[in-house]
Amino acid sequence: MTAGSWQLKRGDALVGTLTREGADMFWTDCLFRPGPAWETARPLFEAAEDAWERADEDAALAADELIHEAGFVLVPGDGGVPVTDFLLRVSGRTARFRA
């Protein structure tokens, strides 16, 4: 991935903006800036974060699946091809994704 930023969208709604800060193996680490539609998406990401922190793998994988099924898209700021198949974690002002 060569983009430096991505818009996290759900339909036409801007959920947030991710700005690349680094990479760790298969994950891209980002700064997360919430967008106007963040409050509607926040519960999905908080449920996943909570499950992973509790080490409840079944609940975490189910939460990840709900995020995937919600129809989020990462739109590269450089005009590249939108990413539709990815894992995404959002925790406060940080995010990381794996495409």
Side-chain angles (χ1 to χ4, degrees):
M1 292 217 165
T2 59
S5 68
W6 297 263
Q7 287 188 331
L8 177 62
K9 299 188 98 174
R10 191 180 200 184
D12 291 331
L14 177 61
V15 176
T17 302
L18 287 76
T19 303
R20 182 186 172 127
E21 292 195 315
D24 178 22
M25 290 291 287
F26 304 107
W27 292 88
T28 300
D29 295 317
C30 301
L31 174 67
F32 179 73
R33 190 174 68 242
W38 171 241
E39 290 306 317
T40 62
R42 179 193 300 246
L44 292 170
F45 292 96
E46 286 178 343
E49 180 181 21
D50 179 62
W52 283 113
E53 285 179 356
R54 288 189 331 251
D56 184 342
E57 187 173 348
D58 290 337
L61 293 173
D64 282 346
E65 186 61 30
L66 287 174
I67 290 169
H68 180 72
E69 291 173 356
F72 294 104
V73 175
L74 287 170
V75 180
D78 65 2
V81 176
V83 182
T84 58
D85 191 17
F86 55 90
L87 287 173
L88 175 63
R89 310 264 191 272
V90 177
S91 178
R93 296 287 186 205
T94 63
R96 61 187 342 223
F97 71 91
R98 179 179 176 166

